[in-house]
Amino acid sequence: MKLTLRTLLVAVAALSFSFPATAASLKVGVVPGVYADSIEALIPEAKAKGLDLEVVEFSDWTTPNIALQSGDIDVNYFQHQPFLDNATKERGYDFKSAGIGVLANIGLYSLKYKKFEDIPENGKVAIANDPVNQGRGLLLLQRAGLLKLKDGVGFKGSLDDITENPKNLSFTEVEGPQLARVTGDVDLAQGYPHFIVASKAFDPSSGLLYSGVDDKQFAIIFAVKSDRVEDPAIKELVTLYQNSQAVKDAINKAFASDTKLYTLPWVATN
């Protein structure tokens, strides 16, 4: 049978309609709690839009960036920009933010005392072990009147920057996601409400003091390698996330439906 060019073109066109276009896929690195839950909630909507999401869960705040650097994941969603800036300084990452997500409050929690003045002499305090989040915790302790830091250190302060410690408090440095699990073992602990909800350890709304949710630099970002900031699949992920009611519902549930514990900064800026 003799095939004309027109016949061939018609055949190719028919084949192209016989098979669906290959869906884009992304591996998203998260830590447990609101970040994992909200990405999981997005999977059905993303799939309907031709974007397959695979959630890769980590239990610490170091491995997600290592995995992104190695190409084991395409994007991670667990850190704010100051945390990434510090990680970049220490390890030389070439990552950028492809968009912002939820802004979580942090607090100071005690399962033994109702007031800061009741914290005893030589009391034990659990605090985040990474530089930026430790600094945020120390600022809360300073606001609570339990210590003083060197002038001007801000959220970059560390235990070495404590200038006054009138109660002679001792500090245990703990990976952020694990702080909820050690709160009962100390007199006072820095805490992240969504990790507390995930652990089911105690009431996430029982903090003695909170940082507030007005500082948008602490919004969690979608971090990617710099050369993928304009990747259509990643841009679609961020757009879908920010416009999904299922995501908003998952975030609210992850914060025990307490809106004082979080905000959606992209809504506030739109």
Side-chain angles (χ1 to χ4, degrees):
M1 180 176 70
K2 186 175 180 179
L3 296 177
T4 65
L5 177 60
R6 177 180 176 81
T7 303
L8 286 170
L9 290 174
V10 170
V12 170
L15 284 171
S16 68
F17 284 108
S18 298
F19 299 95
T22 302
S25 62
L26 292 174
K27 291 183 178 181
V28 185
V30 295
V31 294
V34 64
Y35 313 129
D37 294 349
S38 59
I39 297 294
E40 289 277 5
L42 187 61
I43 289 177
E45 289 178 46
K47 190 173 184 62
K49 295 288 187 178
L51 179 60
D52 287 335
L53 301 180
E54 179 182 344
V55 176
V56 182
E57 194 167 296
F58 300 92
S59 61
D60 65 87
W61 286 350
T62 301
T63 314
N65 278 334
I66 295 173
L68 182 60
Q69 178 73 13
S70 68
D72 291 334
I73 58 175
D74 300 293
V75 54
N76 66 42
Y77 181 62
F78 79 101
Q79 64 192 322
H80 46 62
Q81 189 64 51
F83 184 97
L84 176 57
D85 291 343
N86 184 74
T88 298
K89 181 179 178 181
E90 290 184 347
R91 295 175 176 263
Y93 296 129
D94 185 19
F95 301 160
K96 288 185 178 178
S97 170
I100 60 172
V102 66
L103 172 55
N105 215 335
I106 66 171
L108 294 176
Y109 292 86
S110 177
L111 301 185
K112 300 177 181 178
Y113 305 101
K114 299 296 185 183
K115 298 180 294 184
F116 289 118
E117 50 264 39
D118 294 335
I119 303 297
E121 294 283 333
N122 304 309
K124 296 179 180 179
V125 179
I127 195 164
N129 67 350
D130 69 280
V132 172
N133 286 301
Q134 182 172 113
R136 294 180 74 193
L138 290 172
L139 285 174
L140 276 179
L141 289 166
Q142 181 169 255
R143 277 177 54 194
L146 294 174
L147 55 78
K148 286 189 178 180
L149 298 169
K150 292 178 183 176
D151 289 341
V153 295
F155 65 78
K156 295 182 179 179
S158 70
L159 294 176
D160 293 334
D161 295 311
I162 297 174
T163 58
E164 295 182 28
N165 182 5
K167 291 196 173 189
N168 193 35
L169 302 174
S170 62
F171 297 89
T172 300
E173 298 175 86
V174 180
E175 190 83 28
Q178 305 305 319
L179 280 163
R181 302 188 184 280
V182 304
T183 301
D185 300 326
V186 296
D187 298 300
L188 187 67
Q190 180 179 348
Y192 298 80
H194 56 98
F195 290 138
I196 295 170
V197 172
S199 72
K200 301 179 181 178
F202 52 92
D203 180 4
S205 300
S206 64
L208 302 182
L209 180 67
Y210 294 100
S211 62
V213 290
D214 297 325
D215 196 341
K216 292 176 184 174
Q217 69 177 322
F218 293 117
I220 300 304
I221 61 174
F222 292 89
V224 299
K225 288 184 176 180
S226 294
D227 60 0
R228 296 195 66 185
V229 171
E230 299 301 324
D231 185 309
I234 290 171
K235 291 174 75 72
E236 179 76 350
L237 165 63
V238 175
T239 298
L240 289 171
Y241 187 93
Q242 293 181 345
N243 288 280
S244 169
Q245 187 59 49
V247 165
K248 293 175 183 176
D249 291 344
I251 291 171
N252 191 56
K253 182 179 179 181
F255 284 99
S257 301
D258 187 346
T259 55
K260 79 170 180 288
L261 301 179
Y262 75 97
T263 191
L264 306 179
W266 68 87
V267 174
T269 57
N270 286 345

